[in-house]
Amino acid sequence: MAPRRIDVRAVTKGRDSSVLRALYEYASPEASGPCTIEYDGRAIAAREGEPIAISLLAAGIDTLSRSVKFHRPRGPSCLRANCEGCLSRIDGEPNRMACTVPSRDGRVVRAQNAFPSAQVDFMRITDWFFPKQFDHHHLMVRYGTAINEAMQGFARKMAGLGTLPEQPSSALGPEEIDRDVLVVGLGPAGLSIAESLAKAGLSVLAVDEEPTAGGLVRDSLSLHALDAKLVCGPAYGDALLARARAAGVDVRLGASACATFDDGTIVISGERALWVRAKARVFANGCHESIAPFGDNDMPGVYTARAAARALRYGVRVGDAVLVCGTDADDDALCDALSAAGARVERLSAGQTLVEATGLGSVTGAVVRGASETHKIKCDAIVPVTVRTPAFELAGQAGVEAARDGARRCFAVRADESGRTERRDVFAAGSVALGGRSSARELAVVQAVVAFVGRGGAA
Amino acid sequence: MSAKVLLCRCEDVTLAEVEHAIDAGQRDIESLKRFTGFGTGWCQGKQCLVACSRVLEERTGAFPQAPVTPRPPVHPMPLGLLATLGDAVSVDRVASDDEDGER
């Protein structure tokens, strides 16, 4: 795979569209200086502050790990901490998601669970030995205990995630925080709700696992209306973030709400755990991307549209020849931006479907089926159509049962038009809630939360 | 060799495996999860739950009424950080949705 860092100055020269300017917001040479990281003994030129997964993609390295059972090659696919493809040992610590750790001079990155490396792993033989499936729950259990134990021991060596860290944990003590409201998720819904709640006089802690605010809109390559202007995603997210902060919201970015209980929520923020006690919890934590089912869909070189857009924002194209399967406005914008960045873009025509990715290590082509024929496309990256599915899990932990969303064929948090749920202290808004995003619900949820906290807030 | 369709990347669960499990009688999402192990890995089902539910729908005619029970942590967290919470968080804590016993 060839290096994929875009010459931003050359590409943007003479172009003045706001989309293009926003595309390279993190990638301008002024945005960050050069640095060098080490990957499996090699020195890799990177840009300080960009995610390590992006630095490695830019250097032409897309295979970062191996899958647990088949030892199939894996690489970053989501670039937003939702998959396992970039799990690496970084600075002696196992299981870091390379898409979440910024490059810094001297950082040491190693592949884990691959023999001898992520690029060449002899245990791939498992993949060929079990051509359809590897049902470890039922394999070998009928034989004697000794054979079973030997098999288990072997399986544990081959599978698993990483080995223990070199240093004991240097974690700081927890920060205990008491607030009227905890808002989880800082997309447009969460940001506007947090701002309005603070303006209504409530104390608000708002967290998002991303290092930046704006959610899905931030990654969108189309323009969005804000104060009668059309702006690109990052500007939109930053503007809403500035308003929320000006209104007095305590915003923590890069802070991941991991578990929520009746009397508090655990948030992991860098080297520190937060224990957050809030009278009300508002979940506006958006959607995941569901895996797209096609042959060898887990191969390095398969990216979500969101990941491909995100890589461009760091000045890196995910491929030199990219097959983009979606057809909505953001997919059109992605194709334009990829072309501007020097990639050859292929799209499916009407009636064509993606059958499988081809390639031994990472993607070198795709098989596409039309109405009457099947043919092969040469490409080194594939962006399939993925389905956005509401992240109902946290609200579920809080005791709100998720419901089937028949129209979207997924699950969503059951909330009424005011964002109220079956738990009096738990509210949901934005695309995580049943029925999807609506600005009416975002206004109503603010009133409902203010009224609830005003009554004393007892759940 | 034929291509594998991965439904759960984290635990290497294939479409063939899920279809086999459904045909073997695992016709609700919770049983399907317990049988195949989908959704029990690093991402805790963020990518695979709906994909598996849709296969179940195609095979049985019904999309599941409710998802599998979400349990903490929803996002991987370092044990070292969890350990720092010892004084703040009591050990007999249970998630709200576990109060009804088996689920």
Side-chain angles (χ1 to χ4, degrees):
Chain A
M1 186 182 135
R4 285 166 176 175
R5 182 90 61 185
I6 304 161
D7 183 345
V8 176
R9 280 213 174 107
V11 166
T12 51
K13 198 172 178 206
R15 289 177 188 263
D16 199 29
S17 92
S18 55
V19 172
L20 203 55
R21 257 184 281 127
L23 268 186
Y24 304 111
E25 62 159 341
Y26 309 121
S28 67
E30 300 82 39
S32 61
C35 67
T36 306
I37 60 171
E38 186 196 317
Y39 178 72
D40 276 352
R42 286 169 58 189
I44 305 286
R47 294 211 155 268
E48 180 141 0
E50 71 184 1
I52 285 173
I54 294 278
S55 305
L56 295 175
L57 275 183
I61 301 168
D62 64 0
T63 302
L64 301 189
S65 66
R66 290 278 164 166
S67 70
V68 285
K69 285 197 275 181
F70 297 123
H71 285 252
R72 289 165 71 86
R74 294 281 165 82
S77 73
C78 70
L79 290 176
R80 58 179 294 242
N82 271 358
C83 79
E84 81 314 334
C86 65
L87 281 175
S88 306
R89 187 176 183 90
I90 299 177
D91 291 344
E93 252 192 273
N95 298 327
R96 303 293 306 272
M97 287 181 269
C99 68
T100 66
V101 184
S103 279
R104 267 208 309 263
D105 248 335
R107 280 226 135 123
V108 178
V109 185
R110 300 219 186 288
Q112 50 180 40
N113 295 100
F115 313 90
S117 74
Q119 284 72 38
V120 182
D121 181 355
F122 299 131
M123 289 309 295
R124 178 75 195 271
I125 193 169
T126 328
D127 195 19
W128 295 312
F129 197 68
F130 298 94
K132 284 200 154 141
Q133 61 181 62
F134 180 177
D135 181 355
H136 70 290
H137 299 285
H138 305 94
L139 188 77
M140 297 286 177
V141 290
R142 70 188 77 127
Y143 302 110
T145 321
I147 292 175
N148 193 14
E149 271 176 11
M151 171 70 188
Q152 295 276 334
F154 178 71
R156 280 201 191 100
K157 266 210 159 55
M158 292 301 107
L161 288 170
T163 50
L164 288 174
E166 281 148 29
Q167 304 287 334
S169 169
S170 57
L172 303 168
E175 184 181 351
E176 295 186 44
I177 302 176
D178 288 278
R179 291 285 186 277
D180 289 328
V181 189
L182 168 67
V183 176
V184 179
L186 293 177
L191 280 167
S192 58
I193 289 166
E195 179 195 354
S196 302
L197 289 171
K199 280 183 171 162
L202 303 187
S203 63
V204 182
L205 176 73
V207 301
D208 195 293
E209 63 187 13
E210 300 277 2
T212 50
L216 180 61
V217 168
R218 187 176 195 98
D219 286 325
S220 156
L221 297 178
S222 356
L223 295 175
H224 298 267
L226 180 74
D227 300 335
K229 273 188 310 193
L230 285 176
V231 296
C232 204
Y236 188 94
D238 291 341
L240 291 187
L241 175 65
R243 283 186 197 176
R245 282 198 159 130
V249 177
D250 177 0
V251 176
R252 310 285 179 102
L253 294 170
S256 183
C258 290
T260 190
F261 305 95
D262 288 354
D263 53 351
T265 299
I266 299 173
V267 177
I268 300 300
S269 175
E271 299 300 299
R272 197 155 209 189
L274 316 182
W275 175 242
V276 183
R277 283 178 294 250
K279 293 179 187 129
R281 290 166 282 177
V282 178
F283 294 109
N285 50 329
C287 289
H288 311 303
E289 278 106 11
S290 183
I291 195 164
F294 59 92
D296 289 339
N297 53 345
D298 60 328
M299 208 181 259
V302 177
Y303 302 91
T304 64
R306 209 169 163 176
R310 195 169 270 209
L312 276 176
R313 292 209 199 275
Y314 286 102
V316 174
R317 56 173 181 266
V318 291
D320 295 327
V322 187
L323 173 65
V324 177
C325 301
T327 53
D328 68 18
D330 263 354
D331 296 313
D332 294 344
L334 175 64
C335 290
D336 290 347
L338 281 167
S339 300
R344 184 169 61 78
V345 177
E346 297 264 6
R347 304 193 74 170
L348 297 184
S349 42
Q352 283 187 328
T353 51
L354 172 62
V355 178
E356 66 181 55
T358 56
L360 270 180
S362 41
V363 170
T364 56
V367 176
V368 167
R369 185 183 297 131
S372 54
E373 35 64 74
T374 296
H375 71 281
K376 217 180 146 181
I377 291 175
K378 270 196 149 178
C379 59
D380 56 5
I382 299 175
V383 179
V385 180
T386 49
V387 184
R388 286 199 257 279
T389 62
F392 65 85
E393 297 86 353
L394 267 178
Q397 285 180 25
V400 179
E401 202 158 316
R404 171 172 67 186
D405 186 329
R408 291 192 282 176
R409 291 174 76 209
C410 59
F411 305 102
V413 179
R414 198 192 299 273
D416 71 8
E417 65 282 357
S418 301
R420 285 181 298 227
T421 69
E422 64 193 274
R423 303 271 316 192
R424 293 180 54 224
D425 62 328
V426 177
F427 301 81
S431 57
V432 76
L434 203 58
R437 233 200 121 192
S438 95
S439 42
R441 173 147 61 191
E442 281 152 38
L443 289 174
V445 80
V446 171
Q447 291 171 0
V449 172
V450 169
F452 173 73
V453 174
R455 285 197 303 271
Chain B
M1 112 185 199
S2 62
K4 285 188 174 85
V5 179
L6 271 290
L7 289 186
C8 168
R9 289 167 54 116
C10 306
E11 292 293 302
D12 266 348
V13 179
T14 63
L15 173 62
E17 194 169 349
V18 168
E19 287 175 339
H20 166 78
I22 296 171
D23 293 345
Q26 313 302 328
R27 296 170 73 83
D28 66 274
I29 195 71
E30 191 73 47
S31 308
L32 193 59
K33 172 187 167 180
R34 290 173 195 206
F35 193 86
T36 63
F38 85 76
T40 60
W42 182 263
C43 90
Q44 287 288 294
K46 295 183 181 91
Q47 307 173 85
C48 59
L49 174 66
V50 168
C52 290
S53 299
R54 289 179 175 202
V55 174
L56 199 57
E57 181 184 24
E58 280 147 24
R59 252 354 221 201
T60 67
F63 194 87
Q65 284 289 346
V68 296
T69 307
R71 294 193 174 83
V74 68
H75 201 74
M77 55 196 286
L79 281 173
L81 281 180
L82 190 60
T84 66
L85 287 164
D87 294 332
V89 184
S90 62
V91 290
D92 57 352
R93 178 173 315 284
V94 291
S96 315
D97 55 9
D98 282 347
E99 279 165 8
D100 55 356
E102 218 248 315
R103 269 181 46 85

